[in-house]
Amino acid sequence: MNIILEMFNNILRIGFSITKDWGISIILLTILLRFLLLPLSFKQRMSILKQGEISKKIEETKIKYKNDKAKLDEELMKHYKESSKSMFGCFTLILQLPILSALYYTIQRMPADVGTILIPWVSSLKLPDRYFIVPLLYSLISVSPNLISYIGILKPYGSEVKNLGFNMISMMVISIIITIKAPVSIGIYFIASGVFTLFEEIAFRLYQRYLNTVKA
């Protein structure tokens, strides 16, 4: 962990030497990390998508062979084996946690007690935003991947958009709770990461739609 912390500290300082702003340096470090984690994130998304397809197959199999228990058990076993294989991709999220924790720890222990041009109304990156603009902004960004589901070309392919109101409200509340007392340096990290997630989600849905178009 110390090696990762040292690496992040060095990258953060290099970013500051170029931009002369710690807030922008945090954004650059966050984007760099997210790019490095893209292969793992993509694999995770594909695994989740695969799990959804298998769940549909299982439900269809239960209906198709409801009167033939032997055949039903045989077909379900095949789907469960396929499901167990695809689940390994979901574990890539666990591999990301130590790296993300190290990044969070690095930002939290920033030596500089200065502000940033990105949030001029806060005098120090170590202070929370007393106007609550950062928490509100992060809460909106956190639900943006759900909001794009209502855009025609970005709807989840092959599935209907369900009522996401309760989920989005829950996410917004949690996002505000996480950042309302946190230093703005952490808020900048969460916002930058959230924006990256949004563009990553858009790219993945377009790629998913392209694959299904090619198959058709």
Side-chain angles (χ1 to χ4, degrees):
M1 183 67 75
N2 288 335
I3 296 176
I4 297 177
L5 288 174
E6 185 63 28
M7 180 181 66
F8 285 166
N9 272 316
N10 291 335
I11 296 174
L12 201 60
R13 292 178 184 279
I14 292 173
F16 176 75
S17 67
I18 297 173
T19 64
K20 306 303 180 184
D21 188 291
W22 287 107
I24 298 177
S25 181
I26 291 172
I27 292 177
L28 294 177
L29 175 59
T30 305
I31 292 174
L32 175 61
L33 176 63
R34 292 301 302 268
F35 265 114
L36 293 176
L37 293 176
L38 262 180
L40 293 177
S41 180
F42 180 80
K43 186 174 179 63
Q44 176 193 345
R45 290 175 186 272
M46 291 299 293
S47 296
I48 294 174
L49 187 63
K50 185 69 172 177
Q51 285 293 316
E53 294 174 354
I54 294 174
S55 295
K56 290 182 180 179
K57 290 181 181 179
I58 290 175
E59 291 304 317
E60 292 172 357
T61 300
K62 288 180 179 179
I63 296 173
K64 184 177 180 180
Y65 299 108
K66 62 180 180 180
N67 297 322
D68 188 344
K69 189 177 185 308
K71 185 64 176 178
L72 176 62
D73 292 341
E74 179 184 346
E75 293 299 318
L76 287 179
M77 185 59 66
K78 293 179 182 178
H79 292 320
Y80 291 147
K81 286 182 179 179
E82 186 180 2
S83 176
S84 63
K85 291 179 181 179
S86 64
M87 282 185 63
F88 284 110
C90 299
F91 293 139
T92 55
L93 176 62
I94 299 176
L95 299 178
Q96 298 179 41
L97 293 180
I99 299 177
L100 295 176
S101 298
L103 176 60
Y104 183 97
Y105 189 68
T106 299
I107 294 174
Q108 198 172 30
R109 295 191 63 192
M110 285 178 59
D113 192 15
V114 296
T116 172
I117 193 174
L118 300 175
I119 310 176
W121 59 90
V122 180
S123 61
S124 172
L125 286 169
K126 295 182 178 181
L127 296 175
D129 181 2
R130 62 178 180 174
Y131 297 112
F132 310 120
I133 296 175
V134 171
L136 289 174
L137 181 58
Y138 174 58
S139 69
L140 292 174
I141 292 174
S142 67
V143 300
S144 56
N146 289 323
L147 291 175
I148 63 174
S149 296
Y150 294 99
I151 301 175
I153 194 174
L154 296 177
K155 288 182 180 179
Y157 193 87
S159 61
E160 297 181 359
V161 178
K162 300 179 180 180
N163 185 6
L164 301 173
F166 178 77
N167 289 337
M168 288 193 291
I169 292 175
S170 300
M171 289 179 65
M172 291 182 70
V173 171
I174 292 173
S175 299
I176 291 175
I177 291 174
I178 290 174
T179 53
I180 196 168
K181 292 295 184 180
V184 292
S185 57
I186 303 302
I188 291 173
Y189 157 64
F190 278 128
I191 290 172
S193 185
V195 171
F196 191 97
T197 297
L198 173 61
F199 283 103
E200 184 182 335
E201 183 66 24
I202 292 173
F204 180 77
R205 292 194 185 185
L206 292 174
Y207 175 72
Q208 180 189 356
R209 185 165 290 272
Y210 167 74
L211 285 181
N212 283 279
T213 302
V214 171
K215 290 179 181 179

